[in-house]
Amino acid sequence: MGARLVAALAPAPVPALAGAPGVALRSGTTGRAGAGRRVPAGRGGAVGGPPRPPGGGAVRRAYEQARRAWDRPLTAYYVILGAGLLITALGLVMVYSASMITALKYSLPSSYFFRKQFLAAVIGTGLLFLASRMPVKLHRALAYPLLVGSAFLMVLVQVPGIGQSVNGNQNWISLGGPFQLQPSEFGKLALILWGADLLARKQEKRLLTQWKHLLVPLVPVAFMLLGLIMLGGDMGTAIILAAILFGLLWLAGAPTRLFAGVLGVAGLIGAVLIKTNPNRMDRFQCVGASDLGPNDICWQAVHGIYALASGGWFGSGIGASVEKWGQLPEAHTDFIFAITGEELGLAGTLSVLTLFAALGYAGIRVAGRTEDPFVRYAAGGVTTWITAQAVINIGAVLGLLPIAGVPLPLFSYGGSALLPTMFAVGLLIAFAREDPAAKAALAVRQPVFGKKRAGVRWKSMRRSVKERPSGER
């Protein structure tokens, strides 16, 4: 009797659906309890298909988490700040290690070059944080004074008795004692700020569609700075300045034929300057060289490769370099990357490359997400400057490019190069802070001074909310 009662109360079997068994339903119902509810496909279970492999799901989740983390408003801000400071700190360590023997060679204390670089890094850090807190309007106001001041100092370099020659290039001004200034390094920053302000004002007036407004006066002023640099014989710095000019023209939307024309003129001038200088011709002949060549013309290039090759995976250790004992010239300046490879190995060099790649990518993100034309041109110009100079320096050490005599940004010894570069990194940080979403995120994290944290009205992207001690809203 009980068995009959249970059988009578049991639900009737559902007839089989048309189609292949086990296929998930994208829409429809599964009885009264599931009426109107969509059933996801491919999830497994009573109606879904086979479960997804756990490995693929974990990789997918990790990718999504990384993508969401990179899309956060403050990601570029932290990446630029962290990468810039890490490169500078690691550069200080390598400058001390690579310059000890050179200092002792000149009867100086072993920490002589390190102390000068450390002082420049302290001043540069102050400039970095100052630039990161300055409003965009003040950066634009600095454009013309910085350009005029840099050009004036570059003219003074060529005055006998004021300018000084270092390694055959007269691009220095003595500041008294052991301190010297290279005005052409500040000329890079001046060209970026002035060019960005000029192009932004012309874009606001819709003049960049005319080629004469696109080129004049940007290209003549840039060529004037290039001429002042080439009077001192510093072609490496001239190449970086030309790269900044091309970067600004590219960001301004220069037509391909116009861009190619300027590039062709600059390439022709560069070829003439290289062909008429035996020292520059020798540098081109040493690209990819594996032996010293006649009269040891490829000594520096070959010993740079020796340093990298002897480093192995993890290097010989800090301070254990062999090439810095007089074999590799300019070990703490232009070829500090080679000493890094010898003492820190492939792991150390890849770490430096990763930091530069992160800094460059974050700079591109800042330039690509802004709606302010000045910020876009200035951020793009700074990113072009740092990236191009790093590629030229590292390419020369690897034997892939001619030795241009330019330092590795933020890393090599040289206060004149470090100070404007750290200010430029501060520019990128300031531009990253100007993003509306970043401003809102920073406002949430920073309480208003003079008020208790519990009573602060926070700003978010949606509305203003009041945080209560209990956490309720």
Side-chain angles (χ1 to χ4, degrees):
M1 185 69 179
R4 292 178 181 178
L5 181 60
V6 171
L9 295 176
V14 180
L17 295 172
V23 178
L25 299 177
R26 296 185 180 273
S27 61
T29 62
T30 57
R32 294 179 180 178
R37 182 181 63 185
R38 292 181 179 273
V39 181
R43 291 273 183 164
V47 204
R52 295 176 180 175
V59 173
R60 190 178 296 106
R61 285 193 298 272
Y63 169 77
E64 290 297 330
Q65 291 176 357
R67 186 178 63 83
R68 285 195 297 268
W70 179 250
D71 286 338
R72 290 175 181 172
L74 292 177
T75 298
Y77 170 79
Y78 288 124
V79 168
I80 295 170
L81 177 62
L85 294 181
L86 283 175
I87 294 172
T88 305
L90 182 58
L92 286 173
V93 175
M94 294 312 305
V95 164
Y96 180 57
S97 176
S99 65
M100 289 189 298
I101 306 304
T102 304
L104 294 174
K105 176 182 176 182
Y106 292 105
S107 302
L108 298 171
S110 60
S111 60
Y112 174 79
F113 294 103
F114 168 76
R115 286 181 293 178
K116 290 180 62 178
Q117 186 73 357
F118 182 78
L119 177 61
V122 171
I123 299 174
T125 303
L127 291 176
L128 183 148
F129 284 103
L130 176 64
S132 67
R133 293 290 179 175
M134 290 169 57
V136 174
K137 290 183 179 180
L138 186 54
H139 286 302
R140 297 187 70 166
L142 288 176
Y144 280 87
L146 186 59
L147 177 68
V148 174
S150 299
F152 177 72
L153 291 177
M154 292 166 68
V155 171
L156 286 183
V157 167
Q158 308 304 324
V159 176
I162 298 179
Q164 290 189 342
S165 177
V166 177
N167 294 330
N169 295 335
Q170 187 164 344
N171 286 302
W172 300 83
I173 295 177
S174 177
L175 299 180
F179 298 101
Q180 294 175 323
L181 179 69
Q182 188 175 4
S184 57
E185 292 291 339
F186 294 87
K188 303 173 186 176
L189 179 62
L191 178 62
I192 291 172
L193 289 178
W194 176 79
D197 178 70
L198 175 70
L199 293 174
R201 286 188 288 106
K202 290 194 173 187
Q203 180 174 332
E204 293 170 357
K205 297 178 181 179
R206 299 181 180 180
L207 297 175
L208 292 182
T209 55
Q210 306 176 31
W211 68 268
K212 60 180 180 180
H213 286 287
L214 185 62
L215 295 182
V216 181
L218 178 62
V219 174
V221 171
F223 274 73
M224 178 197 69
L225 296 177
L226 287 170
L228 292 174
I229 293 173
M230 288 307 301
L231 283 177
D234 189 1
M235 189 168 184
T237 304
I239 292 174
I240 304 301
L241 207 69
I244 294 172
L245 171 62
F246 296 142
L248 291 174
L249 290 175
W250 180 271
L251 291 169
T256 304
R257 61 183 183 277
L258 190 62
F259 190 85
V262 177
L263 184 62
V265 172
L268 180 62
I269 295 174
V272 172
L273 294 174
I274 292 171
K275 190 71 175 177
T276 56
N277 190 297
N279 183 34
R280 296 176 189 143
M281 284 297 300
D282 291 342
R283 293 185 180 186
F284 267 86
Q285 294 176 6
C286 294
V287 175
S290 57
D291 55 72
L292 301 180
N295 300 323
D296 295 339
I297 60 174
C298 299
W299 179 278
Q300 188 178 23
V302 171
H303 278 275
I305 298 297
Y306 288 168
L308 290 171
S310 60
W313 289 99
F314 300 103
S316 57
I318 296 291
S321 169
V322 175
E323 290 294 331
K324 69 182 181 183
W325 287 76
Q327 300 297 322
L328 181 62
E330 307 297 336
H332 60 299
T333 54
D334 301 345
F335 270 69
I336 195 171
F337 188 76
I339 302 299
T340 303
E342 185 180 7
E343 296 188 348
L344 301 182
L346 182 63
T349 55
L350 289 180
S351 299
V352 175
L353 291 175
T354 302
L355 290 173
F356 275 110
L359 182 61
Y361 193 79
I364 293 173
R365 168 176 163 149
V366 171
R369 292 196 174 191
T370 184
E371 296 181 358
D372 188 337
F374 172 79
V375 172
R376 179 168 63 254
Y377 295 133
V382 170
T383 305
T384 302
W385 166 18
I386 296 177
T387 304
Q389 188 163 326
V391 168
I392 291 174
N393 178 276
I394 295 174
V397 174
L398 296 176
L400 303 176
L401 295 174
I403 300 175
V406 296
L408 189 58
L410 301 172
F411 202 83
S412 295
Y413 170 79
S416 293
L418 183 62
L419 294 180
T421 309
M422 294 194 75
F423 187 90
V425 173
L427 276 178
L428 292 180
I429 296 173
F431 297 155
R433 291 168 57 93
E434 287 295 319
D435 183 79
K439 281 185 176 180
L442 288 172
V444 169
R445 298 188 180 191
Q446 297 174 357
V448 179
F449 293 104
K451 295 184 180 181
K452 294 183 179 179
R453 187 179 182 87
V456 173
R457 293 192 62 84
W458 305 96
K459 292 182 179 179
S460 66
M461 291 295 292
R462 296 182 180 177
R463 65 186 184 278
S464 297
V465 295
K466 186 174 182 179
E467 185 185 44
R468 298 184 176 89
S470 61
E472 299 179 355
R473 292 188 176 182

